[in-house]
Amino acid sequence: MSHLRFIVIGITDAPHPWFPPEVMEIIKEGKVFSGGKRHHEIVAPLLPEGAEWIDITVPLERVFNAYRLRSNAAKTIGVFASGDPLFFGFANTLKREFPEAEMKVFPTFNSLQMLAHRLVMPYHDMRIVSLTGRPWQEFDRALIERAPKIGVLTDKEHTPAAIAQRMLEYGYTYYNMCVGEHLGNPEKERVTTLTLEEAAGQEFAMPNCVILDGQTVERTGIFGIPDSSFALLNGREKMITKMPIRLLTLQALELPTKKVLWDIGACTGSVSIEARLLFPHLHVEAFEIRPECEAIIHENCRRHGAPGIEVHITDFACCDIATCKICDAVFIGGHGGKLKEMMAKVVRVMAPGGVIVMNSVTTPVVEQMTNHRPSSHQLWDEACRELGLRQEPPMRVVIDDHHPIVILKAHLR
């Protein structure tokens, strides 16, 4: 393949764009151009006669193949992209797909800059999140971290209304929403500032973007959620990992350096929620066998403002985990006598250096109640030996007059 050269030109939604003389000369001499359908409608009158246009549509592999096929005839491809092509833009995609290609970029203002300009709002302190073709993870993180000003790039699924509804559901009600539609198009441009309740019930024209302004937000959080604030399974207080044990468990999981936490036997979701709020960079997946716990976990997530926890109501020992993100931290809160099978299943998919933690109640009374079956601690030791896990010294904790808790921890070698 001949050496490719991309000229990436940023444009706004203006129907009659202005480009500097250097860009106009590039367009005049070009033979192959590319961009979205909307970009084509805008720049078509400026393209030279006979110029070829490659639509940027999914799947992108088809687009990339078209670029490669044209590389022999036309080594330079002019690409039109929205705003600043290096700001969550197509230039970044080209750099990943064609790392050896030469590239020159002519940016214009991105949509969030334009919206801030219309609002006369300083934006040097704005947290930027793209939801364009992306999941909610980074947006949820910005909310949990109480970012006072959040700029959001939207798409047809993550609309301003959907964003407002999600914020209201999880209690992030102290923001106003500023929406910019068709920015740069003098005939269609509209900028509105609304409450979240107002935005949740409206439709907005595409393309649009959002700035969430919550300058009054208090950056206060609770280190250790009180047990009394959780909805419980059948009102049973013992069916929750107590707050002091919960915090020690999270410490043992080494979560500041981890990416994906699996909470197996989540019950009320207390461990998942505490982890999500303390370490909002984490992707958290909660597994629970009891169907009645699903509503309880979701209720507790809403109570505590913890969006983004993926809940799986299933028997972990038998479920298909192929679609789950690869874990590097696992807490086993319940195993139903299938501990060794669960640990073997985890180890097969866990990232190198991963950590597994389990809390065990070990007293003679408990061992008698199991009718002489191996205790959880014994099963844990056997599984660690069989799977080649490196165990840490157990941590024995007593927080009340009930049974002591032993926090067990092992690393994948």
Side-chain angles (χ1 to χ4, degrees):
M1 183 179 71
S2 300
H3 185 66
L4 265 176
R5 181 171 183 256
F6 292 104
I7 306 294
V8 191
I9 303 166
I11 64 173
T12 68
D13 205 46
H16 306 291
W18 177 90
F19 295 115
E22 183 180 0
V23 172
M24 290 301 298
E25 189 64 26
I26 291 170
I27 295 173
K28 179 182 176 182
E29 299 297 327
K31 293 181 174 62
V32 180
F33 297 90
S34 187
K37 294 182 181 297
R38 180 171 59 89
H39 301 141
H40 193 200
E41 293 173 358
I42 293 172
V43 302
L46 303 177
L47 301 182
E49 186 176 351
E52 181 182 1
W53 182 271
I54 302 171
D55 273 327
I56 299 176
T57 56
V58 293
L60 288 178
E61 189 57 39
R62 183 197 61 80
V63 181
F64 300 148
N65 288 337
Y67 292 167
R68 294 183 180 99
L69 287 173
R70 272 79 173 171
S71 62
N72 290 324
K75 295 182 180 180
T76 298
I77 299 177
V79 179
F80 293 92
S82 298
D84 181 349
L86 289 169
F87 181 80
F88 294 101
F90 195 63
N92 298 318
T93 304
L94 291 175
K95 285 172 68 68
R96 288 194 301 270
E97 185 68 21
F98 300 94
E100 303 302 321
E102 181 184 349
M103 182 180 296
K104 188 167 185 178
V105 176
F106 293 90
T108 188
F109 288 121
N110 66 61
S111 59
L112 288 173
Q113 287 176 310
M114 295 175 69
L115 180 54
H117 295 162
R118 302 296 188 269
L119 297 167
V120 195
M121 176 187 289
Y123 61 89
H124 60 276
D125 57 346
M126 185 162 62
R127 177 84 164 264
I128 307 297
V129 175
S130 176
L131 290 175
T132 306
R134 292 175 169 86
W136 290 103
Q137 171 73 13
E138 289 304 313
F139 177 74
D140 293 342
R141 179 178 180 178
L143 292 180
I144 293 170
E145 292 178 349
R146 306 298 199 274
K149 190 187 298 178
I150 308 172
V152 187
L153 301 175
T154 63
D155 64 14
K156 292 181 180 179
E157 178 182 351
H158 304 91
T159 63
I163 292 167
Q165 290 161 11
R166 190 175 185 85
M167 296 174 71
L168 291 170
E169 179 179 4
Y170 289 97
Y172 294 94
T173 58
Y174 33 75
Y175 290 86
N176 284 325
M177 178 178 283
C178 307
V179 183
E181 303 163 79
H182 287 292
L183 293 170
N185 187 329
E187 299 173 4
K188 298 182 179 180
E189 178 174 299
R190 187 169 76 122
V191 174
T192 50
T193 299
L194 313 95
T195 66
L196 295 180
E197 289 81 2
E198 292 169 337
Q202 291 197 27
E203 293 187 6
F204 299 88
M206 294 290 294
N208 60 58
C209 64
V210 164
I211 294 179
L212 297 166
D213 188 7
Q215 295 297 319
T216 60
V217 59
E218 295 183 6
R219 294 195 173 192
T220 58
I222 297 175
F223 184 76
I225 303 171
D227 297 334
S228 59
S229 70
F230 286 98
L232 302 175
L233 176 62
N234 300 325
R236 295 159 65 187
E237 294 182 3
K238 293 184 179 181
M239 297 298 290
I240 185 173
T241 303
K242 299 296 184 182
M243 185 260 285
I245 300 299
R246 199 160 60 236
L247 294 180
L248 288 171
T249 298
L250 297 183
Q251 178 275 330
L253 285 163
E254 304 173 3
L255 296 181
T257 62
K258 301 306 180 186
K259 296 179 180 179
V260 179
L261 168 66
W262 287 3
D263 179 8
I264 302 172
C267 193
T268 62
S270 64
V271 170
S272 290
I273 291 167
E274 191 92 61
R276 186 81 177 103
L277 296 180
L278 289 177
F279 308 100
H281 71 281
L282 279 176
H283 178 89
V284 181
E285 305 213 20
F287 300 84
E288 173 55 47
I289 194 171
R290 289 164 290 203
E292 61 269 32
C293 285
E294 183 172 16
I296 294 172
I297 294 173
H298 287 304
E299 169 61 22
N300 284 327
C301 288
R302 286 190 290 269
R303 283 189 187 186
H304 298 98
I309 295 173
E310 293 194 22
V311 180
H312 307 272
I313 300 301
T314 181
D315 182 348
F316 180 82
C318 305
C319 73
D320 181 6
I321 55 174
T323 60
C324 299
K325 289 186 178 294
I326 295 175
C327 59
D328 54 4
V330 171
F331 172 62
I332 301 177
H335 56 81
K338 301 177 182 179
L339 178 60
K340 295 174 73 171
E341 296 94 324
M342 287 181 173
M343 291 178 67
K345 189 170 187 174
V346 165
V347 167
R348 284 197 296 269
V349 298
M350 177 174 271
V355 60
I356 306 174
V357 171
M358 185 183 77
N359 298 336
S360 174
V361 180
T362 55
T363 66
V365 173
V366 171
E367 292 183 358
Q368 290 174 13
M369 291 173 62
T370 61
N371 296 320
H372 307 292
R373 293 195 302 269
S375 68
S376 293
H377 198 155
Q378 289 173 310
L379 292 172
W380 168 273
D381 288 341
E382 291 174 10
C384 289
R385 286 194 299 270
E386 294 169 6
L387 297 170
L389 300 175
R390 175 172 58 83
Q391 293 196 66
E392 300 286 344
M395 181 188 303
R396 187 175 185 273
V397 183
V398 180
I399 60 172
D400 53 30
D401 294 333
H402 301 291
H403 307 310
I405 303 294
V406 178
I407 299 177
L408 304 171
K409 175 179 178 180
H411 281 95
L412 186 64
R413 294 183 188 273

